[in-house]
Amino acid sequence: MTTRMEQAFYHLERPFAWLDLDALDKNIQTVHNACGEKQIRIATKSIRSMEVLRYIQKNLANAVGLMTFTAAETIYLLEQHFDHLLLGYPVMEESAIRRLLHFVKDGKSVTFMVDRPEHIQLLAKLGEELGVRVQVCIDINVSNDFKLLYFGTKRSSLYSLELLTPFLQFIQQHPIIEVTGAMGYEAQIAGVGNRPANALKGRLIETMQKQAKKQVTQFRRLAVAHIKAYFPNLRFVNGGGSGSMRYTAQQKEVTEITVGSAFYAPALFDQFTHLQLAKAAGFALRVTRKPEKDIVVCHGGGYIASGAMGIDRLPVFYESATFAYLSLEGAGEVQTPIKVKGSNIQMGDTIYFRHAKAGELCERFQVLHSIRGDEYMGPYTTYRGDGQCFL
């Protein structure tokens, strides 16, 4: 694999980010197969490239739209003629919301995520100000509280029917608000791999996920039915993620599945035993020092993923059997020492990596250099390459 990369990328300065189009195509097909007849909403935070978003939309038969991550990003994508955007996180930025509502007034489809009365109050105020009906999606918290352990994410405040009811009644008091969707994101299934480095932890995760699936299925169905009792014209129910596609595809109440990371297949998704994804994106560093026979130093490399800090947030080596980090240094800010095992690496050679997460790779590079087979296919600009920075 890296041999064909060397042939295709020989002319590029290091560091650079790479995109394997053959692997991306395989992942698009894997996503399509896993999601079955469900529609697929592409998570833009995991892609962060307008050109790659267009590529995926073109090649994914059941793509229904995008899930964006900030109001500013949503505006940018609307300006680039994308449509059917679900803003996946609540926003409280008045000027940005006003701009989005002007797009709605012009016929674009934008849906805002809500789970608090404050969200409704702000959106209703601005909708009335501009004379625009505001479409919202209600974010249901489907995390599991196992008493000794909270399994999921602490995001939405709507984790019971008792809390959902007064919220729905509050929305009814604002006729400018139109409830078009509901979301129940099972992060504890979709985003937690069951094959971590610690085998005991892996068995515990599998046990909890088995129990979580039963509870998520039950509560999400009840919550969706409850929402429909108040708002019978609900158009979509969003659920799932890259790590739970097959499970979510079996859920009757879900109409669309959000998928993002599966397209690039970052390193954290190696921890899912049921996912067979192709390594589609990463970065390359140049060897610039060799202080010892079995130690080389690369220029750059400290591209650490967000989340709870741990060894799994480090980039991983494309050839994992050949290289290892030094435990006292890890991936460095401007240089990374690497232990070499059973390979003759020389000054000027290239070492290939994959980021632990998907879209965060694109915050470090302006371009994804693409390859198909052993042929260089040209650059795909990232948000950064387009002069954009959203979070």
Side-chain angles (χ1 to χ4, degrees):
M1 171 60 194
T2 55
T3 300
R4 73 180 180 92
M5 283 183 163
E6 285 296 297
Q7 293 172 350
F9 298 138
Y10 73 94
H11 63 292
L12 299 177
E13 288 191 1
R14 277 63 167 157
F16 68 88
W18 54 268
L19 176 67
D20 185 339
L21 294 174
D22 293 322
L24 178 58
D25 289 345
K26 289 178 183 177
N27 293 339
I28 290 171
Q29 188 61 49
T30 296
V31 169
H32 175 79
N33 294 342
C35 292
E37 297 181 357
K38 302 291 186 185
Q39 295 181 314
I40 299 170
R41 191 174 291 276
I42 304 167
T44 62
K45 76 175 183 64
S46 300
I47 307 301
R48 304 197 196 206
S49 165
M50 182 185 64
E51 293 180 313
V52 179
L53 286 170
R54 291 196 193 283
Y55 183 95
I56 295 171
Q57 279 193 322
K58 179 181 176 181
N59 292 282
L60 183 63
N62 44 347
V64 69
L66 306 178
M67 177 182 283
T68 60
F69 61 95
T70 75
E73 181 216 17
T74 307
I75 291 167
Y76 171 67
L77 291 173
L78 288 166
E79 291 172 341
Q80 307 306 315
H81 309 295
F82 286 89
D83 202 355
H84 304 292
L85 306 183
L86 170 61
L87 220 170
Y89 310 86
V91 293
M92 302 291 288
E93 308 304 320
E94 289 196 20
S95 62
I97 294 172
R98 282 194 183 92
R99 290 186 65 188
L100 287 170
L101 292 180
H102 279 294
F103 279 102
V104 173
K105 208 167 186 176
D106 291 338
K108 291 287 190 175
S109 175
V110 179
T111 305
F112 295 83
M113 195 66 67
V114 297
D115 71 275
R116 293 280 303 179
E118 293 89 342
H119 301 149
I120 299 300
Q121 288 173 328
L122 178 59
L123 292 170
K125 183 189 82 168
L126 298 178
E128 290 167 357
E129 177 185 303
L130 297 172
V132 181
R133 284 181 62 79
V134 184
Q135 296 183 359
V136 302
C137 176
I138 297 174
D139 188 357
I140 309 158
N141 189 335
V142 296
S143 299
N144 304 105
D145 190 350
F146 293 133
K147 304 306 177 186
L148 294 177
L149 177 66
Y150 185 87
F151 195 38
T153 58
K154 288 186 179 289
R155 297 176 188 173
S156 170
S157 58
L158 303 173
Y159 53 83
S160 71
L161 296 183
E162 290 74 21
L163 292 168
L164 184 58
T165 299
F167 184 62
L168 298 175
Q169 293 171 343
F170 184 81
I171 297 176
Q172 284 185 318
Q173 299 171 24
H174 299 81
I176 199 77
I177 300 295
E178 182 182 359
V179 177
T180 58
M183 182 179 78
Y185 170 49
E186 59 273 28
Q188 67 274 39
I189 303 166
V192 180
N194 60 350
R195 188 174 54 188
N198 185 315
L200 180 61
K201 181 180 178 181
R203 288 194 291 271
L204 176 62
I205 289 171
E206 286 186 337
T207 300
M208 290 193 299
Q209 285 181 334
K210 185 176 180 180
Q211 183 62 32
K213 287 178 180 179
K214 296 177 183 178
Q215 294 185 16
V216 168
T217 297
Q218 182 181 36
F219 177 60
R220 186 165 53 199
R221 287 180 182 174
L222 286 172
V224 169
H226 199 56
I227 293 171
K228 286 183 175 180
Y230 285 83
F231 301 100
N233 295 323
L234 202 68
R235 297 177 194 169
F236 68 88
V237 176
N238 182 284
S242 293
S244 66
M245 293 182 289
R246 293 193 181 280
Y247 158 75
T248 313
Q250 297 170 0
Q251 306 309 300
K252 296 178 181 179
E253 78 284 0
V254 174
T255 64
E256 62 177 46
I257 301 173
T258 297
V259 181
S261 295
F263 297 112
Y264 287 165
L268 279 173
F269 283 81
D270 294 348
Q271 298 181 18
F272 289 77
T273 57
H274 60 282
L275 273 180
Q276 302 298 319
L277 298 172
K279 303 170 183 178
F283 61 93
L285 303 180
R286 181 84 72 189
V287 173
T288 56
R289 288 180 168 179
K290 193 170 183 179
E292 299 177 20
K293 181 180 179 180
D294 61 347
I295 301 290
V296 297
V297 180
C298 285
H299 201 177
Y303 312 139
I304 311 302
S306 61
M309 287 297 98
I311 193 71
D312 62 354
R313 302 291 144 166
L314 292 173
V316 302
F317 299 100
Y318 196 98
E319 298 173 297
S320 56
T322 304
F323 306 106
Y325 291 111
L326 304 188
S327 60
L328 295 180
E329 297 200 50
E333 179 184 8
V334 290
Q335 59 182 0
T336 299
I338 297 168
K339 186 173 180 61
V340 181
K341 300 175 287 184
S343 182
N344 186 23
I345 302 298
Q346 300 298 324
M347 296 279 292
D349 286 350
T350 302
I351 297 180
Y352 291 86
F353 299 76
R354 294 159 61 219
H355 202 284
K357 299 186 79 172
E360 292 181 21
L361 168 71
C362 296
E363 295 299 332
R364 293 287 187 167
F365 297 92
Q366 295 182 336
V367 165
L368 295 167
H369 290 282
S370 66
I371 184 175
R372 189 180 295 284
D374 59 1
E375 183 179 353
Y376 179 67
M377 301 301 292
Y380 287 72
T381 59
T382 64
Y383 283 174
R384 290 287 188 165
D386 292 333
Q388 305 297 321
C389 177
F390 301 113
L391 276 181

